[in-house]
Each structure stands twice: as structure tokens, then as C-alpha cells.
């Protein structure tokens, strides 16, 4: 019963935040640049949380997340621009196809661990990028024009559903099995946990929500190009998760908001932007090597007066 009260409290808080921002946007009190930053924040949060399932929860080192983002972006763009489908339908189709791509990557990658798995996923992302470069149907290297359909509402509820699903998955029996795989795969296997199943599930769930982010991304910037989904994009997403703290969902969200804001406000200083951005990362990793939140969640900070272990 207490869990239900907490859930409804967070739900009410989220809807209040949405309503306040939507009211400000409807009253033209938020500039177009600020709206674009809010949508970009939401996209980065979805990417960070979806990669958190793979790296933070299951312990699989993946650096090819931009490949799933690209699949969701291009498939949803084809659905709306070539077949005239509604945007919501295009988001779902892009996410499902991205999840299938995650399934295809997850199965052959089961024999790989650590650095080898990272290289395999990076190779997958590069293959996806090169495939789109050589397909004239989607514009090839020049890119594909996409109508602007992403709004604050789509971005907010994309983030809301992503966090809700992944948070509940983490707290479930399946999520605890994934955490067991992360802590010690051999011990988890010995205890009867189907490690193969949970590693593939993590890849599939993570790629599904990366596909949702890709669909909103494609319909927010008028044009998508394969160069936007290179290995630098994968490293950007990886930095969100590492900076927030491996194993902390709220840490990934905070890091995505923090770095998106820094990157946006430093766009006026192109010469020094990357230097300042790098210095911020170095300072944080020097003084907080476990990330901003470590393995804790932000809800743990508000459990005053409680002793003993914390619930995951």
C-alpha cells in the first residue's frame, strides 16, 4: 500500500511538471530555443536510461547505442515521410524494429564480454551507419528530410514511459536477476538464473527505448544524416551513464540533464566549448570517480531516519 502511495505521488509530480511547462509553452513564455533544449534533454534522458539497462543493470559494456538510435530514427522517418503514417504509429514501429536489431545484436554477442563486447557493439553501430549512407531511398550521405512533429508532449511522455517501465523492470524479479548477472555471472548461472535470457532481454529493452528516442529525434531536427549516428554519439550516451553512476537510474537522468544544459549554453563559445565540457567531466571523475550518484537513487536521499539496508 505504501508503494502505491509513493507511485501516485511521483505520478502527480510528473503531471504537474508537464502541465506547468505546457502552460508556459502555450502562453509563448518559453522561447523556441528553450523548447528545443527541453526536447533534446528528453531525448538524451531516454538514451541514457535505455543504455542504463544494458550497462548499469546487466553489466554488459556496450558502446554501439547510436546504432539503435539510428534504426529508430530512420524507420520512423520512412513511416511518416514515405507511407504517410501517423507519428505515434511511426514511433512504435521504429521502436519495435530497433528492439529486433537489439535482439539480433544480443544473441551473437553472448559469447563476448568486456572489451570484446564493446568492440562488437561499436562495429554494429558502424555497420548501421554505413548501410544508411549507401541507401539512396533514405537520401544516402546527404540525409533525409523529415517534417517537424516532435513536441514537448511527445518528448515528456516518451521519458515518462521509459523511466516508468525501466524502473519497474529493475525492481521486478527479472531486474534482480539482471543485477545478479552484473555482480557475478558465474554465480548467477550456478544459482539457476538463465543468464543468456536476461542478457538478451536487456539488449532488447534498451534498444526499444533507444528507438523511441530516435523517432522523436528524427522529427525534431527536420533532417537526419548518417554522420549524426557515428561512434561519437555512442560515446556521448555512454558518458551520461558513467557520469551519473553505473547502476543508478536517477544518476543517468541527472547526468543527461546536466550535460545537455552545459552543451547547449556553451554553443555560443564554439572555440572553448569542448575544452570546458572536457574539464567538467575530468573534474567530476577526479572528485567523484563512482559518478554523481554512485549506485544510489535520488529517492534514497529522502529516506530520513531509516536505518539498515535500502530497497532497490
Amino acid at each position: 500500500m505504501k508503494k502505491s502511495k509513493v507511485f501516485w505521488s511521483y505520478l502527480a509530480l510528473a503531471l504537474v511538471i508537464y502541465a506547468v511547462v505546457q502552460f508556459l509553452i502555450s502562453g509563448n513564455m518559453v522561447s523556441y530555443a528553450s523548447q528545443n533544449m527541453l526536447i533534446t534533454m528528453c531525448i538524451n534522458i531516454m538514451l541514457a536510461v535505455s543504455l542504463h539497462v544494458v550497462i548499469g543493470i546487466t553489466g554488459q559494456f556496450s558502446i554501439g547505442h547510436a546504432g539503435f538510435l539510428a534504426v529508430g530514427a530512420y524507420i520512423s522517418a520512412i513511416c511518416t515521410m514515405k507511407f504517410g503514417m501517423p507519428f505515434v504509429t511511426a514511433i512504435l514501429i521504429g521502436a519495435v524494429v530497433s528492439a529486433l536489431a537489439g535482439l539480433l545484436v544480443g544473441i551473437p554477442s553472448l559469447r563476448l564480454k568486456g572489451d570484446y563486447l564493446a568492440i562488437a557493439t561499436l562495429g554494429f553501430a558502424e555497420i548501421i551507419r554505413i548501410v544508411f549512407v549507401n541507401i539512396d531511398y533514405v537520401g544516402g550521405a546527404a540525409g533525409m528530410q523529415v517534417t517537424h512533429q516532435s513536441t514537448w508532449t511527445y518528448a515528456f511522455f516518451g521519458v515518462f514511459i521509459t523511466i516508468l517501465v525501466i524502473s519497474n523492470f529493475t525492481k521486478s524479479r527479472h531486474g534482480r536477476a539482471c543485477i545478479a548477472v552484473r555482480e557475478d555471472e558465474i554465480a548467477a548461472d550456478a544459482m539457476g538464473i538463465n543468464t543468456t535470457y536476461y542478457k538478451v532481454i536487456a539488449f532488447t529493452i534498451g534498444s526499444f527505448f533507444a528507438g523511441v528516442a530516435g523517432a522523436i529525434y528524427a522529427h525534431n531536427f527536420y533532417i537526419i544524416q548518417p554522420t549524426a549516428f557515428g561512434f561519437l554519439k555512442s560515446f556521448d550516451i555512454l558518458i551520461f551513464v558513467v557520469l551519473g553512476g553505473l547502476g543508478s537510474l536517477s544518476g543517468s537522468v541527472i547526468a543527461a540533464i546536466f550535460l545537455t544544459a552545459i552543451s547547449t549554453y556553451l554553443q555560443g563559445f564554439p572555440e572553448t566549448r569542448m575544452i570546458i565540457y572536457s574539464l567538467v567531466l575530468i573534474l567530476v571523475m577526479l572528485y567523484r570517480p563512482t559518478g554523481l550518484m554512485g549506485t544510489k537513487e535520488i529517492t534514497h536521499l529522502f529516506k530520513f531516519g531509516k536505518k539498515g539496508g535500502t530497497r532497490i
Side-chain angles (χ1 to χ4, degrees):
M1 183 62 69
K2 288 183 179 179
K3 184 179 179 180
S4 298
K5 288 182 179 178
V6 172
F7 171 78
W8 289 113
S9 299
Y10 285 127
L11 178 63
L13 178 63
L15 291 178
V16 167
I17 293 172
Y18 165 74
V20 169
V21 175
Q22 182 61 36
F23 174 76
L24 293 175
I25 292 173
S26 301
N28 293 322
M29 287 179 276
V30 180
S31 66
Y32 178 78
S34 298
Q35 291 182 43
N36 190 53
M37 186 181 75
L38 286 173
I39 294 174
T40 304
M41 269 184 189
C42 291
I43 292 169
N44 287 338
I45 290 172
M46 281 186 275
L47 291 171
V49 173
S50 59
L51 185 60
H52 160 79
V53 177
V54 180
I55 296 181
I57 299 301
T58 319
Q60 299 182 90
F61 193 46
S62 170
I63 53 174
H65 218 55
F68 305 124
L69 175 70
V71 172
Y74 272 97
I75 295 299
S76 63
I78 290 170
C79 290
T80 55
M81 301 306 296
K82 303 292 186 182
F83 300 107
M85 293 183 181
F87 186 36
V88 175
T89 306
I91 293 175
L92 291 176
I93 293 176
V96 169
V97 175
S98 186
L100 292 175
L103 184 65
L104 290 175
V105 174
I107 292 174
S109 299
L110 294 176
R111 293 179 177 273
L112 303 175
K113 296 179 182 178
D115 298 343
Y116 300 104
L117 178 60
I119 293 169
T121 53
L122 180 61
F124 160 76
E126 284 300 295
I127 290 170
I128 293 294
R129 187 182 65 82
I130 292 170
V131 166
F132 285 126
V133 166
N134 290 283
I135 296 180
D136 293 334
Y137 184 70
V138 293
M144 180 179 181
Q145 289 189 338
V146 186
T147 56
H148 184 275
Q149 299 189 48
S150 295
T151 62
W152 159 248
T153 299
Y154 284 116
F156 175 83
F157 283 102
V159 169
F160 180 76
I161 293 171
T162 302
I163 293 177
L164 184 67
V165 171
I166 292 180
S167 175
N168 280 284
F169 174 78
T170 306
K171 294 174 183 174
S172 70
R173 177 171 61 86
H174 303 290
R176 295 180 185 278
C178 289
I179 293 173
V181 173
R182 178 192 70 188
E183 295 300 322
D184 193 323
E185 186 176 341
I186 296 175
D189 197 27
M191 292 298 291
I193 294 174
N194 189 339
T195 57
T196 301
Y197 171 77
Y198 285 110
K199 288 163 74 175
V200 174
I201 283 292
F203 258 109
T204 306
I205 293 175
S207 55
F208 178 88
F209 288 107
V212 175
I216 296 175
Y217 174 91
H219 293 79
N220 187 51
F221 294 106
Y222 298 99
I223 186 169
I224 50 174
Q225 293 176 305
T227 51
F229 306 105
F231 67 92
L232 288 177
K233 185 63 179 177
S234 292
F235 282 115
D236 279 345
I237 305 168
L238 178 64
I239 287 171
F240 296 148
V241 180
V242 174
L243 184 65
L246 290 174
S248 174
L249 187 149
S250 53
S252 300
V253 173
I254 293 170
I257 294 172
F258 177 61
L259 292 180
T260 304
I262 287 181
S263 182
T264 302
Y265 284 116
L266 290 179
Q267 283 181 348
F269 309 94
E271 298 84 4
T272 57
R273 174 170 167 262
M274 291 310 296
I275 295 174
I276 297 174
Y277 187 85
S278 302
L279 283 175
V280 169
L281 292 176
I282 291 170
L283 288 173
V284 172
M285 297 316 294
L286 278 175
Y287 294 100
R288 190 69 180 174
T290 58
L292 295 173
M293 295 295 294
T295 57
K296 296 182 178 178
E297 299 295 346
I298 196 167
T299 52
H300 296 163
L301 302 177
F302 301 103
K303 291 183 177 180
F304 301 108
K306 288 190 175 182
K307 295 182 179 180
T310 55
R311 297 175 62 185
I312 297 174

